[in-house]
Amino acid sequence: MTLNHPYRSLHVPKDAPFELRPSSGKGWGAFATRRIGRGDLILKEKPLFVVQKAHTEITEGDVLVAFQQLEPTRKKQFLCLRDNSSRYFKSMNEAFAENSFQAGIPDVTGSQSNKPPAHGLYLLLSRFNHSCIPNSKIPTTNENAIACFATKDIAAGEEITFCYNTDFECRTRHERHEALRFVCHCRTCSSSSRFTSDLRRRFIRGLQYLTHGVDIDGQRQRSGASVIANHELKEAAENGSIPLSSRLIYNVLVMVLIEKEGLLDDFMLERMRPSVFGMAAFFTTRSNIRIVRLMLEQGSWSDKLFMAFNLYGRKDASDHDFAGRIRALRGLP
């Protein structure tokens, strides 16, 4: 019976705007007990314990050592954890792997800490279920504490979800499910429009390759891969010679596609907007500057894109210098 379920013993803060209860087809989840406004803090949680190793290097012994150092009440909290079939995990390491997060998540600027890799076990946030179009996000960490914020208004009774991977806006439904190792039934994955969604997300991945010169794994795509099929365009992306006007169009188009996917939250805007507004400052040809200014004045990203298309095929006096900057940043000759 759910009344006696071990998760009833997990310590949810009294002022938390959610409760833990069964979620259809997903084990247990977190559900809003009152309206949560966009941008509101949902939960800030410190880990039960941290293992200072990369995720793939953590062993049963590492988890056992950390567990033995806990106070008795905290040991009981760890032992409450079950998998989504309501069975106990087969080992401590399995329980840790399924309920841990990287401690020291990159912030919205993408910067990384020089600290060694570490993973912490978070009792409550690990109960939040996944969605490919979530209503919350864990954008930053403060030391080992993780904060979760609402990315849209959440109604009382609505389940609180976040996306388990940071690059899912670039992955198709099949690729997402392979990474998750379970089938997601969110609106994007289960609706009749998922084919359109897959096209958008594949397009985003290609556009990001054109601007970054690498795929989402940080590597150049192998020969014959389908992210960028045009060899000349792929080579231009990798050596930094994509023209400034094309780069700006690609970046604005990514914003439009992400917005269409329902993923353009405030944190995504903070991370990606500099790539548009910062790039706009590099134009030096007067006629191009005039178009860029008009583009920036547009209210919506769709309107910005329509205006940016006026730059298509146009060269700029700063193309050569900008390409040099890109090559220098990538360590290319």
Side-chain angles (χ1 to χ4, degrees):
M1 293 177 61
T2 60
L3 288 176
N4 298 319
H5 195 284
Y7 289 166
R8 297 291 187 194
S9 301
L10 293 178
H11 297 155
V12 179
K14 290 182 179 180
D15 60 346
F18 66 88
E19 64 179 356
L20 301 180
R21 56 182 170 89
S23 176
S24 178
K26 295 184 284 186
W28 280 57
F31 291 81
T33 53
R34 61 177 184 267
R35 180 188 176 278
I36 304 172
R38 176 174 175 170
D40 287 353
L41 175 68
I42 297 171
L43 176 67
K44 185 174 183 180
E45 183 181 15
K46 291 183 178 180
L48 194 67
F49 60 83
V50 174
V51 177
Q52 296 282 348
K53 279 189 176 181
H55 199 276
T56 54
E57 298 175 0
I58 296 172
T59 66
E60 181 77 5
D62 295 324
V63 180
L64 180 59
V65 168
F67 174 78
Q68 294 293 358
Q69 294 174 354
L70 295 174
E71 298 173 357
T73 55
R74 294 170 72 80
K75 286 182 179 179
K76 288 181 180 180
Q77 290 283 286
F78 178 84
L79 295 174
C80 287
L81 295 177
R82 292 187 172 191
D83 68 19
N84 273 345
S85 298
S86 294
R87 299 186 300 266
Y88 287 108
F89 287 104
K90 296 177 182 178
S91 67
M92 284 191 170
N93 195 21
E94 185 181 3
F96 181 81
E98 294 299 322
N99 296 279
S100 63
F101 295 83
Q102 180 181 343
I105 296 173
D107 64 22
V108 290
T109 65
S111 64
Q112 294 274 2
S113 170
N114 292 324
K115 295 180 181 179
H119 284 77
L121 187 136
Y122 297 83
L123 289 169
L124 297 179
L125 282 171
S126 63
R127 306 275 54 81
F128 288 36
N129 282 314
H130 165 84
S131 174
C132 298
I133 44 170
N135 53 23
S136 73
K137 181 172 280 188
I138 302 173
T140 61
T141 58
N142 179 9
E143 296 179 348
N144 290 327
I146 286 182
C148 179
F149 297 87
T151 54
K152 55 188 72 173
D153 292 341
I154 302 173
E158 184 179 350
E159 183 169 10
I160 303 169
T161 59
F162 70 95
C163 184
Y164 286 180
N165 289 58
T166 58
D167 63 4
F168 272 13
E169 73 272 11
C170 299
R171 293 187 183 271
T172 64
R173 176 180 182 269
H174 176 70
E175 291 167 344
R176 296 195 301 273
H177 290 185
E178 279 193 327
L180 291 168
R181 303 192 305 280
F182 62 80
V183 175
C184 175
H185 294 287
C186 73
R187 178 164 48 85
T188 290
C189 288
S190 59
S191 71
S192 58
S193 62
R194 65 191 184 207
F195 178 73
T196 304
S197 174
D198 279 355
L199 287 177
R200 287 195 193 111
R201 296 192 188 218
R202 193 68 175 177
F203 199 6
I204 291 168
R205 183 171 178 174
L207 291 168
Q208 292 198 348
Y209 195 101
L210 291 177
T211 54
H212 298 301
V214 291
D215 203 358
I216 53 179
D217 60 359
Q219 304 297 316
R220 293 185 178 185
Q221 75 172 33
R222 65 186 183 279
S223 179
S226 60
V227 179
I228 301 295
N230 184 294
H231 177 74
E232 291 182 359
L233 190 58
K234 175 179 177 294
E235 186 175 324
E238 292 170 351
N239 64 27
S241 61
I242 297 288
L244 192 56
S245 57
S246 295
R247 287 182 179 277
L248 185 62
I249 292 171
Y250 297 157
N251 276 279
V252 178
L253 181 52
V254 165
M255 302 296 280
V256 171
L257 293 170
I258 288 177
E259 187 173 44
K260 291 287 186 183
E261 281 295 283
L263 299 173
L264 194 57
D265 56 62
D266 294 338
F267 300 105
M268 184 77 78
L269 273 171
E270 188 174 353
R271 177 166 65 88
M272 299 188 68
R273 188 158 41 191
S275 64
V276 175
F277 287 78
M279 192 176 301
F282 283 98
F283 285 88
T284 56
T285 298
R286 251 182 217 184
S287 57
N288 292 344
I289 292 174
R290 190 160 50 246
I291 295 171
V292 171
R293 286 176 177 170
L294 287 171
M295 182 208 76
L296 294 177
E297 290 173 1
Q298 305 306 307
S300 70
W301 286 105
S302 294
D303 289 343
K304 282 180 171 62
L305 179 62
F306 288 136
M307 184 58 65
F309 275 139
N310 289 291
L311 292 168
Y312 184 76
R314 296 174 68 105
K315 295 182 179 180
D316 194 86
S318 64
D319 277 340
H320 179 76
D321 290 341
F322 190 80
R325 287 172 179 263
I326 296 296
R327 286 194 292 270
L329 287 171
R330 297 179 186 172
L332 301 174

